[in-house]
Amino acid sequence: MKKLFLPLFCLILIHCKKSEAHSLNSNLVNVVQEDKLIAIDSSAVALKSPVVDASIRFPSEKTISEQTTAISKKIIKNGDLKIQVGDIKKAQDQVSSIVKSNKAYIQKEEFQNNDNEENTDLTIRVPHQNFDALVNSFSDGVGSVLSKNISSDDVTEEYTDVSIKLANKKIYLEKYRDMLKSAKTTKDILEIQENIRELEDEIDVSEGRLRFIDDRVNYSTLNLSLYKEKVRTSATSKVGFGSRFGDSVTEGWNSFVAFLLGVISLWPFFLLIPVAVFLWRKWRNRKKK
């Protein structure tokens, strides 16, 4: 009887250890699969494995919903404005004064000057509550508006979705950290650490996206272009007849040189002319014979 009892006891002990290991692996798989859910219920995230402390409680779906409903409207405003002015320098001084009075700042500035026009392109960031006042100030007091385009983009839904997923990821991150404290085997420790690393990377990306949206919402963007056309006429220009006559002569010479260079660039085709004449004469002689 004793001989039979000892093997039976060993089999029961081995079976218990296998059941415990299988339970731990199943719980790890379930946690990874549940990470795809948007809302979490406390009964769904509780693990049956003794690895996690039973006293740990996680926010329910109602708690997360209450947190996200508090998100206000997220509206991104952008604008493009092109203004024709008589004096670029004077217009820039006016723009600087208007920007300062509306608590805005110039993020980027580009200047171009050629024979026909002058252009100054400005990228202005302004608090969203001052955006309309800034646009109206430019439209009324700087010059003649050539084009105007204002757009509003509602990103509340995207912001809410990212916020919910971020909250869920943080919950699972804490769960994995608690599991790591109670993990027994090296395999379990490595698997949990890998999940923690992936979650931390995803959390960083989500937080960066939320910061970007907040920046675009809090500060609107206006692309302002100051344009001045250079016109030479006898009534408005101070340039005399002699200067304009000289400009005309120079322009004519430049056109002739450009034409001559264009003809010279076709020299390979000129080499085909003697060949074409030779073939034509040869064909004509054959036809006569």
Side-chain angles (χ1 to χ4, degrees):
M1 188 67 179
K2 292 181 179 180
K3 293 181 179 180
L4 293 174
F5 177 76
L6 184 59
L8 181 62
F9 177 76
C10 293
L11 289 174
I12 293 173
L13 183 61
I14 293 172
H15 178 72
C16 290
K17 290 184 177 180
K18 288 183 177 179
S19 298
E20 183 179 356
H22 177 72
S23 177
L24 176 60
N25 291 333
S26 299
N27 290 326
L28 288 172
V29 172
N30 290 334
V31 169
V32 174
Q33 292 176 346
E34 288 174 357
D35 189 33
K36 298 179 180 180
L37 296 176
I38 294 179
I40 304 175
D41 186 76
S42 57
S43 61
V45 300
L47 296 180
K48 297 180 181 180
S49 173
V51 175
V52 179
D53 188 354
S55 63
I56 299 176
R57 299 182 63 84
F58 300 95
S60 63
E61 180 180 352
K62 182 179 179 181
T63 303
I64 296 177
S65 178
E66 291 174 350
Q67 293 175 354
T68 54
T69 52
I71 296 176
S72 59
K73 277 282 187 180
K74 301 291 182 180
I75 307 295
I76 297 177
K77 274 191 172 184
N78 295 309
D80 296 288
L81 190 62
K82 186 173 183 179
I83 300 177
Q84 184 174 8
V85 298
D87 189 333
I88 288 288
K89 184 65 172 67
K90 181 180 178 181
Q92 285 179 328
D93 294 338
Q94 290 178 311
V95 167
S96 298
S97 177
I98 294 173
V99 166
K100 185 177 180 180
S101 63
N102 286 277
K103 298 180 180 180
Y105 67 92
I106 298 176
Q107 186 181 57
K108 185 180 180 182
E109 180 177 354
E110 293 182 356
F111 177 75
Q112 294 180 349
N113 186 10
N114 54 47
D115 294 336
N116 299 319
E117 61 186 22
E118 291 181 50
N119 276 303
T120 297
D121 296 323
L122 303 170
T123 301
I124 302 173
R125 303 296 306 282
V126 57
H128 69 281
Q129 64 272 17
N130 298 338
F131 180 78
D132 294 334
L134 182 77
V135 174
N136 293 333
S137 298
F138 288 148
S139 302
D140 298 335
V142 177
S144 177
V145 177
L146 299 180
S147 63
K148 181 179 179 181
N149 182 22
I150 306 298
S151 63
S152 297
D153 188 13
D154 189 347
V155 293
T156 308
E157 183 177 355
E158 179 188 358
Y159 193 92
T160 303
D161 183 60
V162 175
S163 299
I164 292 175
K165 292 180 179 180
L166 177 62
N168 288 336
K169 288 183 173 75
K170 288 183 177 180
I171 290 172
Y172 281 118
L173 180 61
E174 293 302 320
K175 180 193 293 187
Y176 278 122
R177 286 172 176 170
D178 291 333
M179 292 177 62
L180 184 62
K181 296 176 183 178
S182 305
K184 302 299 183 182
T185 65
T186 303
K187 180 181 178 181
D188 293 340
I189 292 174
L190 294 176
E191 289 181 357
I192 296 173
Q193 287 179 339
E194 178 63 20
N195 290 330
I196 289 176
R197 184 191 64 78
E198 292 179 358
L199 276 175
E200 288 177 340
D201 291 342
E202 293 175 3
I203 288 173
D204 289 339
V205 172
S206 298
E207 289 178 341
R209 180 58 183 170
L210 292 180
R211 287 194 297 269
F212 176 80
I213 294 177
D214 283 331
D215 176 71
R216 295 296 171 179
V217 170
N218 295 332
Y219 274 82
S220 301
T221 303
L222 176 66
N223 297 313
L224 176 64
S225 177
L226 302 176
Y227 165 79
K228 178 186 176 182
E229 184 178 2
K230 295 181 179 179
V231 180
R232 287 187 176 183
T233 63
S234 58
T236 60
S237 179
K238 295 182 180 180
V239 180
F241 174 80
S243 298
R244 284 185 286 161
F245 179 80
D247 293 340
S248 300
V249 173
T250 302
E251 184 177 354
W253 173 254
N254 291 335
S255 300
F256 173 74
V257 171
F259 170 76
L260 184 62
L261 293 175
V263 172
I264 294 175
S265 65
L266 299 176
W267 68 268
F269 298 97
F270 296 152
L271 297 179
L272 297 177
I273 295 176
V275 176
V277 171
F278 172 77
L279 293 176
W280 179 77
R281 287 182 175 178
K282 188 175 183 181
W283 173 80
R284 189 181 62 175
N285 292 335
R286 287 184 178 178
K287 186 177 181 181
K288 289 181 178 180
K289 291 180 181 181

